[in-house]
Amino acid sequence: MKVLLPDTVELDPRLPAGTTAVVYDVRRPVPDEHTDAEVLVVWGNPADTLSDAATRLKSLRWVQTLAAGPDAVLAAGFAPDVLITAGLGLHDRTVAEHTLALALAAARRLNLLIRAQIGHRWATELGGLQPVHEAGAFRTLRDAKVVIWGFGGIAATLAPLLTALGAQVTGVARQAGTRHGYPVVTEEAFPELLPHTDLLISILPATPATERALNAGVLAQLQPHAWVINVGRGSTLDEVALLNAIRSGRLAGAALDVFDTEPLPPNSPLWDEPNIIISPHAAGGRPVGAADLITANLQAFQEGRPLRNIVE
């Protein structure tokens, strides 16, 4: 069995007997001599070469993407009988860390401090004596009401970090209950949380059901001092509605790591809005534990057992 490994990350999985690994250049079509591969591991593949692989790898039986979301692989056009598994769990710690950084940057107004620094201006209004409790403002995670929309593995890693700084965390998912010690409500009960939310964090995947889920209707239910963070997928956010809400004062600000079009075009008005923090899809990018996941799934695949993170 031949396994194609991407050259975009160092991988040294333990290969079962009878398995051969070949490292391929994700930026180029798979060489003809390797189109007989049965397993393709994907990480950072451009859309065109991924579609090419879907067309030319006639012996392919399984695609393992190292991304948490399989949307790029699903869009490539692989045959229906090709098994697809996702990289769930590989980005929990890195995305959680980045999201915490964005939350702290928003609360402590690092976006405005950096602008003041560029202008050589001592921002007196942001320093010196400050109120311990500032009504109608999001200035600290201490006692802040944080809602995480999409309460999966990343949220389970992030929530304790927020709690350690004093935040009150509630999750939103398909099923209500308690997960990892945190209350979780369904999307039907989600609107009841919004008027009392200081920080809304979206970690939604890209699916037809989540497209523009974070829209004008949701934003309108937040208080004017609230902030929004999106580290899920850009397609889940209505960027025009967000910009309108911030410019009109109906929303305090947003920190965005993902966008509908990436890279974000230079002429996007999001760049110039002082209360929008932009990071270039930087939350993940480091699939921690990828080799172990590939090893476990290769062994299961060869033995005919269920694989981890199967995309239904």
Side-chain angles (χ1 to χ4, degrees), residues 65-82:
T65 175
L66 301 184
D71 38 300
V73 171
L74 293 175
F78 288 97
D81 60 343
V82 174

Side-chain angles (χ1 to χ4, degrees), residues 220-233:
Q221 297 177 72
L222 292 166
Q223 292 295 312
H225 72 268
W227 272 66
V228 169
I229 293 178
N230 188 17
V231 291
R233 285 291 185 265

